[in-house]
Amino acid sequence: LRRDVDRLRELGYPIEAHRGVDGGYELAPGAALPPLAVDDDEAVALAVGLRAAAQGAVAGIEEASIRALAKIVHVMPPRLRHRVDALNAVIMPAVWSTGPTVDAAVLTTVAQGCRDEERMRFAYTGRNGGKSERHVEPHRLVSLGRRWYLVAYDLTRQDWRTFRLDRLDGPRGTGVRFRPQKLPAEDATAFVRAGIESVPATHTIEALVHAPAATV
């Protein structure tokens, strides 16, 4: 029993011992994070997700994702490692070497604002390059294609807006909570899609192919 308790302490569980007739071992609250218990499918999902994160569009988490992936694969039993290797062999993640990236700190701060229903302020650069200060009630984060979007209610313009996170700078909470308003769409993803589809095309392209229709 003592060996088991020592092992649990090494893993991060704070266990207190008390001597005497009424003594024993007691699990106490502590600052150390104990190991997570996941099943087989969850372990495989973690490994595949971390691999995708290492090649994704969120800047600053690639190295951490690789370190975490190495730790998970190291402790996996052979049967799970084989499943992960099989999935990695057939999944081709989209790698955008020249696409926009989002700072991990910006993503985390905005996500916390959405979760806590706290009004936020940030600087924003529009499509035309113009800069403005925004005061919003953050609603949801949407990952669409290779970009992240924030759906929020703009308090200055008194209307719902979509903000690209790679154009957003210096997000900060104001400490003011709000009661969420009703989004004028089925969900946040549908709202973002509708906004993208409404943007007029900036170029009209005409292609002339020197070949008969049957060949084309």
Side-chain angles (χ1 to χ4, degrees):
L1 178 60
R2 285 195 295 269
R3 286 196 297 268
D4 290 340
V5 170
D6 289 340
R7 177 58 178 157
L8 288 172
R9 284 171 173 163
E10 291 175 0
L11 291 172
Y13 290 98
I15 298 178
E16 298 177 354
H18 304 281
R19 294 178 179 273
V21 178
D22 297 328
Y25 294 103
E26 180 182 7
L27 183 64
L33 179 67
L36 297 175
V38 296
D39 60 28
D40 289 2
D41 291 337
E42 290 170 343
V44 172
L46 279 172
V48 175
L50 286 168
R51 180 175 179 268
Q55 300 173 306
V58 180
I61 67 170
E62 298 91 343
E63 184 179 350
S65 299
I66 293 173
R67 291 200 308 267
L69 177 60
K71 292 177 181 178
I72 290 178
V73 173
H74 177 71
V75 299
M76 276 185 169
R79 70 179 191 281
L80 294 186
R81 198 175 303 173
H82 177 73
R83 288 178 58 185
V84 172
D85 292 340
L87 284 171
N88 288 339
V90 299
I91 294 176
M92 300 300 295
V95 180
W96 305 93
S97 58
T98 60
T101 59
V102 178
D103 186 88
V106 170
L107 185 63
T108 302
T109 301
V110 175
Q112 290 174 341
C114 294
R115 181 198 63 190
D116 298 338
E117 296 177 352
E118 179 183 357
R119 291 180 176 178
M120 304 188 70
R121 293 185 181 273
F122 52 80
Y124 190 71
T125 303
R127 287 198 307 269
N128 58 1
K131 297 183 181 297
S132 60
E133 288 290 329
R134 300 301 183 100
H135 185 201
V136 305
E137 294 179 348
H139 178 65
R140 289 288 185 276
L141 282 172
V142 175
S143 176
L144 196 60
R146 60 174 180 174
R147 295 187 175 95
W148 283 91
Y149 298 88
L150 167 65
V151 176
Y153 187 81
D154 194 313
L155 295 169
T156 303
R157 291 158 179 79
Q158 293 292 299
D159 199 4
W160 288 91
R161 290 288 189 273
T162 298
F163 302 95
R164 270 177 47 177
L165 257 64
D166 58 288
R167 295 176 178 170
L168 191 149
D169 186 45
R172 57 201 181 277
T174 63
V176 178
R177 300 297 177 90
F178 64 91
R179 179 176 297 177
Q181 303 188 50
K182 183 175 176 57
L183 182 69
E186 180 181 355
D187 54 37
T189 302
F191 185 82
V192 173
R193 288 186 185 277
I196 294 174
E197 293 171 357
S198 67
V199 176
T202 56
H203 301 283
T204 301
I205 299 175
E206 181 178 342
L208 179 61
V209 180
H210 293 280
T215 302
V216 174

